[in-house]
């Protein structure tokens, strides 16, 4: 489904404003969802149960956004849901049944059916307590925001909007169905969800929602790291993650999610002037997203996290020198360690943690390139150290240029164009992404007459350095170089 921009929301591409006429809204909704939902509604009604399409799919369909999986709610308890879909669904899964949810698939369409419910946290609990409800309105009042508290009853197609979600959708506003304090007390993760929806949809938080989110931010401490991670992930791959990050910082939410980010707001005094690291990092994030799009890349969580966190090591490494000069020596090393610790604490997958921290560690490497003075061996090492992250490193390094000096910015762009061309040429000649020594471990053992062990690894690393320095070698030359190295090391065939 194509999207058209809502006026007045820069950086977003939601579709045309939805009409206030409910019948037209329902017609628009059902033009985008699979007919299977109506069929399922008939099945539940015949058994004397209610069923309604609810939440995100309703919101997205009314916004003209593409609808994928479908969420439904019912007064049937989970065991009864299983009985009702038996023989109708092509596949059923019950991983969420403890929370009242049954997943199913019908003709390639994925649906989740959840018993009317409410969730709440006890003051020190990290897991919500789930209670089943008995009515649709009771279920909707417990939803996070009014734009997610709209439903369409099935099979009648009656539109249910008891809290004015359609009006809020049209206004681009996030309100809670009841008091925001009650909503955030029931589930503190909704504070993060509000920030995420602001970035994802380009909506504004209503004043009372902002106030409650700020006042209750510390309640996020009881939410599991995994749930916070999931919301942060959705925020970071949204159309406008900067908006979400700024909201987290301005409302005092960031200290419970990414405390390193607000700490980058370093004070600048008249004697020690330097760029505001926080604002610089947000600009780098914006520029990385622009480059992402121009290069035809999909929203990249690893790249965006690296762009946001590439300078988190600066506050810890800031030093003042004579003449008012400010330095941040080795901030990339410190920042890589900090990024790794934070993302690990948020339970990000190990590959994401390692990739982000590697990009942070490497983001300054290019600045030694100058006007192209690097040898081919230095370019090989740059590409090899980046490995599968090379394209992301290209984007991050380019995005890290936020100077207003046009001449300096142009010179940096030309230098990076040059290194990318050189990497491309060397890659064609030498398959840079899979550089290996000219001799493998078995050949090293045979030539030197040694057994497997640390010595083989030492020889292998020497041959790899030789390969990076000189490029490909003929087999005889490689063997001769290995023997010369072995003699210098006092290694003979008798070893």
């Amino acid at each position: 489904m194509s999207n058209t921009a809502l006026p007045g929301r820069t950086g977003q591409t939601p579709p045309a404003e939805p009409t206030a006429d409910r019948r037209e809204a329902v017609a628009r909704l059902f033009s985008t969802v699979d007919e299977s939902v109506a069929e399922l509604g008939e099945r539940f009604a015949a058994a004397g149960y209610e069923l309604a399409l609810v939440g995100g799919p309703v919101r997205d369909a009314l916004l003209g956004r593409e609808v994928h999986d479908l969420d439904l709610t019912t007064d049937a308890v989970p065991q009864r849901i299983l009985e009702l879909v038996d023989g109708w669904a092509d596949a059923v899964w019950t991983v969420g049944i403890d929370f009242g949810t049954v997943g199913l698939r019908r003709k390639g369409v994925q649906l989740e059916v959840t018993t009317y419910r409410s969730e709440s946290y006890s003051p020190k609990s990290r897991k919500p307590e789930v209670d089943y409800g008995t009515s649709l309105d009771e279920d909707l009042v417990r939803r996070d925001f009014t734009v997610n508290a709209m439903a369409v009853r099935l099979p009648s197609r009656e539109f249910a909007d008891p809290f004015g979600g359609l009006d809020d959708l049209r206004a681009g506003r996030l309100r809670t169905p009841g008091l925001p304090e009650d909503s955030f007390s029931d589930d503190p993760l909704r504070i993060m969800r509000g920030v995420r929806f602001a970035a994802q949809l380009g909506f504004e938080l209503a004043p009372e929602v902002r106030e409650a989110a700020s006042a209750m931010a510390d309640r996020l401490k009881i939410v599991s790291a995994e749930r916070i991670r999931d919301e942060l992930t959705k925020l970071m791959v949204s159309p406008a993650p900067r908006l979400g990050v700024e909201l987290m910082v301005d409302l005092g939410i960031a200290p419970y999610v990414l405390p390193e980010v607000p700490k980058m707001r370093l004070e600048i005094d008249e004697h020690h002037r330097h760029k505001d690291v926080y604002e610089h990092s947000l600009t780098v994030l914006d520029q990385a997203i622009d480059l992402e799009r121009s290069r035809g890349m999909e929203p990249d969580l690893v790249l965006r996290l690296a762009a946001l966190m590439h300078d988190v090591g600066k506050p810890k490494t800031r030093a003042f020198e004579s003449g008012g000069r400010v330095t941040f020596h080795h901030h990339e090393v410190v920042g890589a360690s900090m990024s790794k610790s934070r993302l690990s604490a948020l339970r990000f997958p190990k590959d994401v943690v390692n990739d982000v921290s590697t990009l942070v560690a490497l983001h300054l490497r290019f600045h030694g390139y100058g006007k192209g003075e690097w040898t081919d061996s230095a370019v090989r090492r740059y590409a090899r150290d980046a490995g599968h992250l090379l394209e992301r490193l290209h984007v991050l390094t380019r995005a890290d240029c936020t100077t207003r000096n046009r001449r300096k910015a142009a010179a940096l762009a030309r230098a990076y164009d040059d290194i990318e061309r050189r990497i491309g040429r060397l890659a064609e000649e030498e398959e840079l992404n899979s550089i290996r020594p000219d001799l493998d471990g078995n050949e090293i053992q045979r030539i030197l007459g040694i057994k497997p062990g640390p010595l083989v690894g030492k020889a292998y690393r020497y041959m790899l350095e030789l390969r990076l320095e000189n490029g490909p070698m003929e087999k005889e030359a490689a063997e001769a170089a290995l023997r010369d190295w072995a003699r210098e090391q006092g290694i003979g065939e008798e070893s």
Side-chain angles (χ1 to χ4, degrees), residues 23-40:
R23 285 176 297 179
E24 187 175 336
V26 172
R28 182 179 302 177
L29 170 64
F30 274 86
S31 71
T32 66
V33 300
D34 191 87
E35 61 185 21
S36 295
V37 297
E39 189 178 314
L40 189 60

Side-chain angles (χ1 to χ4, degrees), residues 287 291 295 394-401 413 416-417 420:
Q287 294 184 167
L291 287 166
R295 292 181 175 223
H394 288 333
V395 173
L396 176 60
T397 305
R398 287 182 181 273
D400 195 24
C401 175
Y416 216 91
D417 288 342
E420 285 200 59

Side-chain angles (χ1 to χ4, degrees), residues 344-358:
S344 296
L346 287 170
R347 303 292 192 271
F348 275 94
K350 286 185 178 180
D351 60 335
V352 173
V353 174
N354 291 334
D355 286 352
V356 172
S357 60
T358 298

Side-chain angles (χ1 to χ4, degrees), residues 197-213:
F197 282 130
Q200 199 171 54
L201 302 175
F203 285 11
E204 293 183 356
L205 300 182
E208 70 276 12
V209 173
R210 290 180 63 100
E211 185 176 344

Side-chain angles (χ1 to χ4, degrees), residues 28-265:
R28 182 179 302 177
L29 170 64
F30 274 86
S31 71
T32 66
V33 300
D34 191 87
E35 61 185 21
S36 295
V37 297
E39 189 178 314
L40 189 60
E42 296 280 2
R43 196 177 184 91
F44 272 65
Y49 291 98
E50 297 178 359
L51 186 71
L53 189 65
V54 68
V58 177
R59 177 202 70 223
D60 287 344
L62 296 177
L63 279 173
R65 292 162 59 91
E66 189 172 350
V67 175
H68 297 286
D69 301 337
L70 302 176
D71 296 330
L72 300 106
T73 188
T74 179
D75 57 344
V77 296
Q79 188 57 45
R80 193 70 180 103
I81 296 172
L82 289 172
E83 294 169 0
L84 288 169
V85 301
D86 185 36
W88 180 83
D90 299 327
V92 175
W93 52 95
T94 59
V95 292
I97 201 164
D98 289 343
F99 296 96
T101 298
V102 174
L104 54 114
R105 185 171 60 250
R106 166 79 171 180
K107 296 179 179 178
V109 178
Q110 190 164 303
L111 306 94
E112 284 192 348
V113 185
T114 302
T115 305
Y116 294 153
R117 68 183 183 181
S118 62
E119 293 182 0
S120 61
Y121 282 78
S122 61
K124 295 183 179 179
S125 172
R126 283 186 173 270
K127 293 184 179 179
E129 298 174 0
V130 178
D131 296 316
Y132 294 142
T134 57
S135 72
L136 178 59
D137 280 3
E138 182 184 5
D139 181 85
L140 295 179
V141 76
R142 291 290 188 176
R143 301 264 164 177
D144 52 8
F145 299 101
T146 60
V147 296
N148 295 326
M150 298 180 288
V152 178
R153 296 180 184 273
L154 300 171
S156 67
R157 299 193 177 190
E158 175 191 350
F159 187 61
D161 182 19
F163 308 106
L166 195 58
D167 289 340
D168 287 334
L169 201 66
R170 182 166 51 248
R173 178 175 57 227
L174 291 172
R175 289 190 307 113
T176 52
L179 292 174
E181 291 82 2
D182 291 341
S183 181
F184 295 158
S185 179
D186 282 349
D187 185 355
L189 186 68
R190 290 173 177 173
I191 296 171
M192 270 296 291
R193 285 172 64 83
V195 170
R196 187 253 294 183
F197 282 130
Q200 199 171 54
L201 302 175
F203 285 11
E204 293 183 356
L205 300 182
E208 70 276 12
V209 173
R210 290 180 63 100
E211 185 176 344
S214 180
M216 301 178 69
D218 66 334
R219 287 277 288 160
L220 285 168
K221 290 187 291 188
I222 71 167
V223 181
S224 70
E226 290 82 358
R227 296 185 78 210
I228 290 178
R229 173 205 63 206
D230 291 346
E231 287 300 325
L232 179 61
T233 296
K234 292 173 184 176
L235 186 160
M236 291 304 298
V237 297
S238 72
R242 175 178 184 146
L243 173 60
V245 172
E246 288 178 322
L247 272 174
M248 284 199 299
V249 171
D250 293 345
L251 298 180
I253 298 167
Y256 306 100
V257 182
L258 291 173
E260 297 79 7
V261 171
K263 290 178 181 177
M264 290 192 290
R265 292 192 297 185

Side-chain angles (χ1 to χ4, degrees), residues 9 38 50 59 75 92 118 194 233 241 265 269-270 292 296 323 365 434 452 464 471 485 490-491:
R9 295 198 197 116
E50 297 178 359
R59 177 202 70 223
D75 57 344
V92 175
S118 62
T233 296
R265 292 192 297 185
D269 62 44
E270 60 181 350
E292 218 180 50
R365 181 76 66 85
S434 57
L464 177 58
W485 172 83
I491 303 168

